[in-house]
Amino acid sequence: MKEPSSADMTLSQSNAHLAAKHCEGLVSPGYTNLALSILLLVGILISYLPQHYRIISRRSSEGISPYFVLLGTTSGTSSFANILILSRGDLHCCRHISSFECFAGSLGVAQVGMQWSCFAFILLLFVIFTPREPNPDIRKTDRSDSSQGFRTALAIAAICVLHAIATSALSAHFLNARPSSLILWANFLGINSTILASIQYFPQLWTTFRLKHVGSLSIPMMLIQTPGSFVWAGSLFARLGKEGWSAWGVFVVTGSLQGSLLAMAIHYELKERRGRKGRQGDHVNGDSVRFGEAEDEGCLERENVETHPKGAGSGGVTERTPLLGT
Protein backbone atom coordinates (compact mmCIF):
# COMPACT_ATOMS: atom_id res chain seq x y z
CA MET A 1 0.00 0.00 0.00
CA LYS A 2 1.37 3.39 -1.07
CA GLU A 3 1.96 5.80 1.77
CA PRO A 4 0.76 9.38 1.32
CA SER A 5 3.46 11.80 0.23
CA SER A 6 4.40 14.87 2.18
CA ALA A 7 2.75 17.03 -0.49
CA ASP A 8 -0.53 15.14 -0.06
CA MET A 9 -0.35 15.48 3.70
CA THR A 10 0.35 19.21 3.40
CA LEU A 11 -2.59 19.66 1.03
CA SER A 12 -4.85 17.68 3.36
CA GLN A 13 -3.79 19.79 6.34
CA SER A 14 -4.33 22.97 4.32
CA ASN A 15 -7.85 21.86 3.35
CA ALA A 16 -8.62 20.98 6.96
CA HIS A 17 -7.40 24.41 8.07
CA LEU A 18 -9.57 26.15 5.46
CA ALA A 19 -12.58 24.06 6.48
CA ALA A 20 -12.04 24.92 10.16
CA LYS A 21 -11.70 28.60 9.31
CA HIS A 22 -14.87 28.44 7.23
CA CYS A 23 -16.78 26.84 10.11
CA GLU A 24 -15.53 29.52 12.49
CA GLY A 25 -17.30 32.08 10.32
CA LEU A 26 -20.61 30.37 11.11
CA VAL A 27 -20.11 30.34 14.88
CA SER A 28 -21.23 33.95 15.34
CA PRO A 29 -23.92 34.65 12.72
CA GLY A 30 -24.89 38.25 12.02
CA TYR A 31 -28.28 38.72 13.60
CA THR A 32 -29.41 41.33 11.08
CA ASN A 33 -28.75 38.99 8.16
CA LEU A 34 -30.23 36.11 10.17
CA ALA A 35 -33.47 37.99 10.78
CA LEU A 36 -33.65 38.99 7.12
CA SER A 37 -33.04 35.39 6.04
CA ILE A 38 -35.82 34.07 8.29
CA LEU A 39 -38.16 36.80 7.04
CA LEU A 40 -37.37 35.79 3.46
CA LEU A 41 -37.99 32.11 4.21
CA VAL A 42 -41.44 32.84 5.65
CA GLY A 43 -42.11 35.42 2.94
CA ILE A 44 -41.42 32.90 0.16
CA LEU A 45 -44.07 30.57 1.56
CA ILE A 46 -46.59 33.37 2.09
CA SER A 47 -45.99 34.77 -1.39
CA TYR A 48 -47.00 31.50 -3.07
CA LEU A 49 -50.12 30.91 -0.99
CA PRO A 50 -52.29 33.40 -3.00
CA GLN A 51 -51.40 31.55 -6.21
CA HIS A 52 -52.19 28.15 -4.69
CA TYR A 53 -55.48 29.48 -3.29
CA ARG A 54 -56.51 31.14 -6.57
CA ILE A 55 -56.08 27.95 -8.60
CA ILE A 56 -57.90 25.86 -5.99
CA SER A 57 -60.76 28.37 -5.49
CA ARG A 58 -61.32 28.79 -9.24
CA ARG A 59 -60.80 25.06 -9.79
CA SER A 60 -59.05 25.99 -12.99
CA SER A 61 -55.54 26.61 -14.29
CA GLU A 62 -56.85 28.84 -17.07
CA GLY A 63 -54.56 31.76 -17.86
CA ILE A 64 -51.38 29.98 -16.71
CA SER A 65 -49.05 28.98 -19.52
CA PRO A 66 -47.96 25.31 -19.41
CA TYR A 67 -44.49 26.34 -20.57
CA PHE A 68 -44.30 28.86 -17.74
CA VAL A 69 -44.86 25.97 -15.33
CA LEU A 70 -42.37 23.71 -17.14
CA LEU A 71 -39.56 26.26 -17.28
CA GLY A 72 -40.22 27.49 -13.74
CA THR A 73 -40.07 24.01 -12.23
CA THR A 74 -36.92 22.93 -14.08
CA SER A 75 -35.29 26.28 -13.28
CA GLY A 76 -36.11 25.77 -9.59
CA THR A 77 -34.63 22.27 -9.68
CA SER A 78 -31.36 23.54 -11.17
CA SER A 79 -31.24 26.42 -8.68
CA PHE A 80 -31.83 24.08 -5.73
CA ALA A 81 -29.05 21.72 -6.88
CA ASN A 82 -26.75 24.72 -7.40
CA ILE A 83 -27.24 26.07 -3.86
CA LEU A 84 -26.83 22.60 -2.35
CA ILE A 85 -23.42 22.23 -4.02
CA LEU A 86 -22.25 25.76 -3.21
CA SER A 87 -23.39 25.42 0.43
CA ARG A 88 -21.99 21.95 1.04
CA GLY A 89 -19.26 23.51 3.21
CA ASP A 90 -21.87 25.15 5.44
CA LEU A 91 -23.80 21.88 5.68
CA HIS A 92 -20.61 19.96 6.50
CA CYS A 93 -19.88 22.37 9.36
CA CYS A 94 -23.12 21.32 11.07
CA ARG A 95 -21.16 18.41 12.54
CA HIS A 96 -18.91 20.79 14.46
CA ILE A 97 -21.17 23.72 15.43
CA SER A 98 -24.35 24.13 17.45
CA SER A 99 -27.82 23.48 16.07
CA PHE A 100 -28.66 27.19 16.09
CA GLU A 101 -25.51 28.05 14.15
CA CYS A 102 -26.23 25.22 11.71
CA PHE A 103 -29.78 26.54 11.24
CA ALA A 104 -28.46 30.04 10.56
CA GLY A 105 -25.84 28.77 8.12
CA SER A 106 -28.27 26.64 6.10
CA LEU A 107 -31.02 29.24 5.67
CA GLY A 108 -29.86 29.97 2.11
CA VAL A 109 -30.49 26.34 1.20
CA ALA A 110 -33.83 26.39 2.99
CA GLN A 111 -34.94 29.48 1.05
CA VAL A 112 -34.21 28.00 -2.38
CA GLY A 113 -35.68 24.67 -1.28
CA MET A 114 -38.88 26.40 -0.16
CA GLN A 115 -39.15 28.24 -3.47
CA TRP A 116 -38.67 25.01 -5.42
CA SER A 117 -41.26 23.16 -3.30
CA CYS A 118 -43.88 25.90 -3.70
CA PHE A 119 -43.45 26.03 -7.47
CA ALA A 120 -43.55 22.24 -7.67
CA PHE A 121 -46.92 22.45 -5.89
CA ILE A 122 -48.11 24.84 -8.62
CA LEU A 123 -47.14 22.13 -11.11
CA LEU A 124 -49.22 19.62 -9.17
CA LEU A 125 -52.23 21.96 -9.06
CA PHE A 126 -51.80 22.71 -12.76
CA VAL A 127 -52.10 19.00 -13.57
CA ILE A 128 -55.02 18.43 -11.17
CA PHE A 129 -57.12 21.36 -12.39
CA THR A 130 -56.51 20.95 -16.11
CA PRO A 131 -59.72 19.38 -17.54
CA ARG A 132 -59.31 15.63 -18.00
CA GLU A 133 -62.37 15.07 -20.17
CA PRO A 134 -63.90 17.46 -22.71
CA ASN A 135 -67.18 19.11 -21.79
CA PRO A 136 -69.95 17.79 -24.10
CA ASP A 137 -71.73 21.17 -23.96
CA ILE A 138 -68.92 23.06 -25.70
CA ARG A 139 -67.90 23.07 -29.33
CA LYS A 140 -66.02 20.16 -30.83
CA THR A 141 -62.88 22.22 -31.48
CA ASP A 142 -62.84 23.43 -27.87
CA ARG A 143 -63.27 19.86 -26.62
CA SER A 144 -60.22 18.85 -28.65
CA ASP A 145 -58.17 21.72 -27.17
CA SER A 146 -59.26 20.70 -23.66
CA SER A 147 -58.13 17.11 -24.20
CA GLN A 148 -54.80 18.23 -25.66
CA GLY A 149 -54.33 20.57 -22.68
CA PHE A 150 -54.50 17.68 -20.22
CA ARG A 151 -52.06 15.60 -22.28
CA THR A 152 -49.71 18.58 -22.34
CA ALA A 153 -49.97 18.92 -18.54
CA LEU A 154 -49.07 15.24 -18.07
CA ALA A 155 -46.12 15.53 -20.46
CA ILE A 156 -44.82 18.60 -18.60
CA ALA A 157 -45.07 16.81 -15.24
CA ALA A 158 -43.14 13.82 -16.65
CA ILE A 159 -40.40 16.08 -18.06
CA CYS A 160 -40.02 17.87 -14.71
CA VAL A 161 -39.68 14.57 -12.82
CA LEU A 162 -37.11 13.21 -15.29
CA HIS A 163 -35.15 16.46 -15.12
CA ALA A 164 -35.03 16.30 -11.30
CA ILE A 165 -33.82 12.68 -11.42
CA ALA A 166 -31.13 13.45 -14.01
CA THR A 167 -29.91 16.52 -12.09
CA SER A 168 -29.66 14.54 -8.84
CA ALA A 169 -27.81 11.65 -10.52
CA LEU A 170 -25.28 13.93 -12.24
CA SER A 171 -24.70 15.94 -9.06
CA ALA A 172 -23.99 12.72 -7.13
CA HIS A 173 -21.60 11.61 -9.89
CA PHE A 174 -19.57 14.83 -9.78
CA LEU A 175 -19.55 14.83 -5.98
CA ASN A 176 -18.18 11.29 -5.70
CA ALA A 177 -16.29 10.59 -8.94
CA ARG A 178 -15.12 14.04 -10.10
CA PRO A 179 -15.03 16.45 -7.15
CA SER A 180 -12.57 18.73 -8.97
CA SER A 181 -15.28 19.53 -11.53
CA LEU A 182 -18.04 20.04 -8.95
CA ILE A 183 -17.83 23.87 -8.97
CA LEU A 184 -17.99 23.90 -12.79
CA TRP A 185 -21.10 21.73 -12.59
CA ALA A 186 -22.63 24.05 -9.97
CA ASN A 187 -21.96 27.07 -12.19
CA PHE A 188 -23.50 25.25 -15.14
CA LEU A 189 -26.60 24.59 -13.04
CA GLY A 190 -26.72 28.24 -12.03
CA ILE A 191 -26.43 29.44 -15.62
CA ASN A 192 -29.00 26.87 -16.72
CA SER A 193 -31.36 28.06 -13.98
CA THR A 194 -30.90 31.69 -14.99
CA ILE A 195 -31.57 30.96 -18.66
CA LEU A 196 -34.65 28.87 -17.90
CA ALA A 197 -36.00 31.46 -15.47
CA SER A 198 -35.44 34.20 -18.06
CA ILE A 199 -37.24 32.28 -20.81
CA GLN A 200 -39.94 31.19 -18.34
CA TYR A 201 -41.73 34.53 -18.32
CA PHE A 202 -41.97 35.02 -22.09
CA PRO A 203 -44.66 32.34 -22.71
CA GLN A 204 -46.60 33.66 -19.69
CA LEU A 205 -46.31 37.24 -20.96
CA TRP A 206 -47.61 36.08 -24.34
CA THR A 207 -50.46 34.05 -22.77
CA THR A 208 -51.60 36.99 -20.64
CA PHE A 209 -51.32 39.37 -23.61
CA ARG A 210 -53.34 37.01 -25.82
CA LEU A 211 -56.11 36.39 -23.26
CA LYS A 212 -56.26 40.06 -22.17
CA HIS A 213 -56.97 38.96 -18.57
CA VAL A 214 -55.06 37.30 -15.74
CA GLY A 215 -57.19 34.17 -15.37
CA SER A 216 -55.83 32.03 -12.53
CA LEU A 217 -52.60 34.02 -12.32
CA SER A 218 -52.31 35.68 -8.90
CA ILE A 219 -51.50 39.40 -8.80
CA PRO A 220 -50.93 39.39 -4.98
CA MET A 221 -48.28 36.69 -5.45
CA MET A 222 -46.40 38.88 -7.95
CA LEU A 223 -46.79 41.98 -5.77
CA ILE A 224 -44.95 40.15 -3.00
CA GLN A 225 -42.41 38.30 -5.12
CA THR A 226 -41.23 41.09 -7.44
CA PRO A 227 -39.56 43.22 -4.73
CA GLY A 228 -38.80 40.07 -2.76
CA SER A 229 -36.63 38.73 -5.59
CA PHE A 230 -34.25 41.66 -5.28
CA VAL A 231 -34.15 41.38 -1.48
CA TRP A 232 -33.46 37.66 -1.80
CA ALA A 233 -30.67 38.29 -4.32
CA GLY A 234 -29.11 40.74 -1.88
CA SER A 235 -29.31 38.22 0.95
CA LEU A 236 -27.59 35.52 -1.13
CA PHE A 237 -24.96 38.02 -2.28
CA ALA A 238 -24.17 38.87 1.34
CA ARG A 239 -23.83 35.15 2.11
CA LEU A 240 -21.97 33.93 -0.99
CA GLY A 241 -20.26 37.05 -2.33
CA LYS A 242 -19.36 37.67 -5.97
CA GLU A 243 -18.32 34.03 -6.39
CA GLY A 244 -21.94 33.01 -5.87
CA TRP A 245 -23.21 35.07 -8.83
CA SER A 246 -24.74 31.96 -10.38
CA ALA A 247 -26.97 31.59 -7.29
CA TRP A 248 -28.15 35.18 -6.75
CA GLY A 249 -28.05 36.34 -10.38
CA VAL A 250 -31.12 34.28 -11.26
CA PHE A 251 -33.26 36.27 -8.82
CA VAL A 252 -32.18 39.60 -10.30
CA VAL A 253 -33.29 38.41 -13.75
CA THR A 254 -36.55 36.84 -12.59
CA GLY A 255 -37.45 39.88 -10.49
CA SER A 256 -37.11 42.15 -13.51
CA LEU A 257 -39.21 39.93 -15.78
CA GLN A 258 -41.83 39.28 -13.13
CA GLY A 259 -42.17 43.04 -12.70
CA SER A 260 -43.03 43.30 -16.41
CA LEU A 261 -45.66 40.57 -16.06
CA LEU A 262 -47.06 42.26 -12.96
CA ALA A 263 -47.46 45.57 -14.81
CA MET A 264 -49.30 43.82 -17.66
CA ALA A 265 -51.56 41.89 -15.27
CA ILE A 266 -52.51 45.04 -13.32
CA HIS A 267 -53.28 46.85 -16.60
CA TYR A 268 -55.69 44.14 -17.78
CA GLU A 269 -57.26 43.73 -14.35
CA LEU A 270 -58.00 47.46 -14.06
CA LYS A 271 -59.30 47.53 -17.63
CA GLU A 272 -61.61 44.60 -16.89
CA ARG A 273 -62.91 46.25 -13.71
CA ARG A 274 -63.64 49.49 -15.55
CA GLY A 275 -65.50 47.48 -18.18
CA ARG A 276 -67.59 45.73 -15.52
CA LYS A 277 -68.47 49.06 -13.89
CA GLY A 278 -69.42 50.49 -17.28
CA ARG A 279 -71.69 47.54 -18.03
CA GLN A 280 -73.33 47.83 -14.61
CA GLY A 281 -73.87 51.55 -15.17
CA ASP A 282 -75.46 50.93 -18.57
CA HIS A 283 -77.71 48.31 -17.01
CA VAL A 284 -78.86 50.70 -14.25
CA ASN A 285 -79.40 53.53 -16.73
CA GLY A 286 -81.37 51.24 -19.00
CA ASP A 287 -83.63 50.20 -16.13
CA SER A 288 -84.17 53.87 -15.21
CA VAL A 289 -85.09 54.79 -18.77
CA ARG A 290 -87.54 51.90 -19.04
CA PHE A 291 -89.06 52.78 -15.67
CA GLY A 292 -89.46 56.43 -16.76
CA GLU A 293 -91.06 55.42 -20.02
CA ALA A 294 -93.48 53.13 -18.21
CA GLU A 295 -94.35 55.91 -15.75
CA ASP A 296 -94.99 58.37 -18.61
CA GLU A 297 -97.22 55.86 -20.37
CA GLY A 298 -99.20 55.35 -17.14
CA CYS A 299 -99.72 59.10 -16.73
CA LEU A 300 -100.88 59.37 -20.33
CA GLU A 301 -103.41 56.60 -19.87
CA ARG A 302 -104.85 58.24 -16.74
CA GLU A 303 -105.09 61.56 -18.56
CA ASN A 304 -106.92 59.96 -21.47
CA VAL A 305 -109.39 58.29 -19.13
CA GLU A 306 -110.13 61.56 -17.37
CA THR A 307 -110.44 63.56 -20.60
CA HIS A 308 -112.32 60.96 -22.62
CA PRO A 309 -114.27 58.76 -20.20
CA LYS A 310 -115.29 55.40 -21.45
CA GLY A 311 -118.84 55.47 -22.84
CA ALA A 312 -119.15 59.30 -22.75
CA GLY A 313 -119.42 59.58 -26.49
CA SER A 314 -122.43 57.19 -26.67
CA GLY A 315 -124.52 58.55 -23.82
CA GLY A 316 -123.13 56.12 -21.31
CA VAL A 317 -123.04 56.75 -17.59
CA THR A 318 -119.79 57.82 -16.05
CA GLU A 319 -118.64 58.87 -12.59
CA ARG A 320 -119.30 62.53 -13.57
CA THR A 321 -122.88 61.96 -14.70
CA PRO A 322 -125.37 63.76 -12.31
CA LEU A 323 -127.57 61.47 -10.28
CA LEU A 324 -130.66 63.61 -10.94
CA GLY A 325 -131.10 64.80 -14.47
CA THR A 326 -132.65 68.22 -15.25
Side-chain angles (χ1 to χ4, degrees):
M1 183 177 178
K2 184 180 178 181
E3 295 183 358
S5 63
S6 59
D8 291 338
M9 294 179 63
T10 303
L11 181 62
S12 177
Q13 291 174 356
S14 176
N15 290 336
H17 175 72
L18 290 174
K21 187 176 181 181
H22 177 78
C23 294
E24 287 177 3
L26 301 177
V27 172
S28 300
Y31 290 100
T32 301
N33 191 46
L34 175 63
L36 180 61
S37 298
I38 295 174
L39 182 64
L40 279 172
L41 179 63
V42 177
I44 291 166
L45 175 61
I46 294 175
S47 71
Y48 276 98
L49 292 180
Q51 182 62 77
H52 298 160
Y53 174 76
R54 185 166 177 84
I55 297 175
I56 295 172
S57 63
R58 295 183 83 239
R59 303 191 65 80
S60 171
S61 58
E62 184 239 356
I64 299 178
S65 169
Y67 303 105
F68 170 75
V69 177
L70 169 64
L71 296 170
T73 305
T74 52
S75 172
T77 301
S78 296
S79 182
F80 191 29
N82 167 270
I83 197 69
L84 280 172
I85 294 172
L86 293 177
S87 301
R88 70 190 188 285
D90 295 344
L91 299 176
H92 182 267
C93 288
C94 287
R95 303 176 182 177
H96 312 290
I97 58 180
S98 67
S99 299
F100 173 75
E101 294 160 349
C102 176
F103 169 75
S106 59
L107 276 174
V109 177
Q111 290 167 359
V112 182
M114 178 66 75
Q115 190 268 345
W116 175 81
S117 301
C118 290
F119 208 98
F121 190 59
I122 292 178
L123 170 65
L124 178 62
L125 293 177
F126 181 79
V127 174
I128 292 174
F129 291 106
T130 297
R132 287 170 171 73
E133 297 179 358
N135 189 337
D137 296 332
I138 62 178
R139 295 178 304 172
K140 185 177 180 180
T141 55
D142 292 337
R143 291 200 300 268
S144 176
D145 292 341
S146 176
S147 178
Q148 291 176 1
F150 182 62
R151 288 197 294 269
T152 300
L154 288 178
I156 284 173
I159 292 172
C160 290
V161 171
L162 291 174
H163 176 264
I165 293 173
T167 301
S168 301
L170 287 171
S171 298
H173 168 73
F174 281 106
L175 180 63
N176 297 312
R178 302 184 62 182
S180 60
S181 302
L182 192 59
I183 295 299
L184 291 176
W185 169 244
N187 288 334
F188 169 78
L189 289 172
I191 294 171
N192 181 53
S193 175
T194 303
I195 293 173
L196 291 174
S198 303
I199 301 173
Q200 163 193 3
Y201 284 91
F202 289 106
Q204 185 58 59
L205 284 164
W206 168 248
T207 299
T208 304
F209 175 76
R210 181 174 57 86
L211 293 177
K212 301 291 192 267
H213 67 86
V214 295
S216 292
L217 197 63
S218 172
I219 290 179
M221 176 191 73
M222 293 186 287
L223 282 171
I224 299 172
Q225 288 186 355
T226 299
S229 295
F230 297 103
V231 177
W232 193 357
S235 174
L236 290 175
F237 177 79
R239 187 181 301 276
L240 302 174
K242 293 181 180 179
E243 294 77 11
W245 61 268
S246 60
W248 51 260
V250 60
F251 300 106
V252 175
V253 175
T254 55
S256 302
L257 290 172
Q258 193 173 48
S260 302
L261 179 61
L262 173 62
M264 181 185 292
I266 291 175
H267 168 71
Y268 287 129
E269 183 68 15
L270 292 176
K271 186 176 180 180
E272 186 176 351
R273 289 186 180 183
R274 285 194 297 266
R276 283 199 300 264
K277 288 181 179 179
R279 288 191 296 270
Q280 290 174 357
D282 292 342
H283 180 71
V284 171
N285 292 335
D287 289 344
S288 300
V289 170
R290 286 191 295 272
F291 178 76
E293 290 175 350
E295 191 176 30
D296 290 342
E297 290 176 0
C299 290
L300 230 103
E301 288 178 1
R302 288 195 298 271
E303 185 179 346
N304 288 335
V305 168
E306 292 176 356
T307 307
H308 306 288
K310 186 177 178 181
S314 59
V317 178
T318 67
E319 62 181 1
R320 296 185 179 183
T321 306
L323 295 177
L324 299 175
T326 54

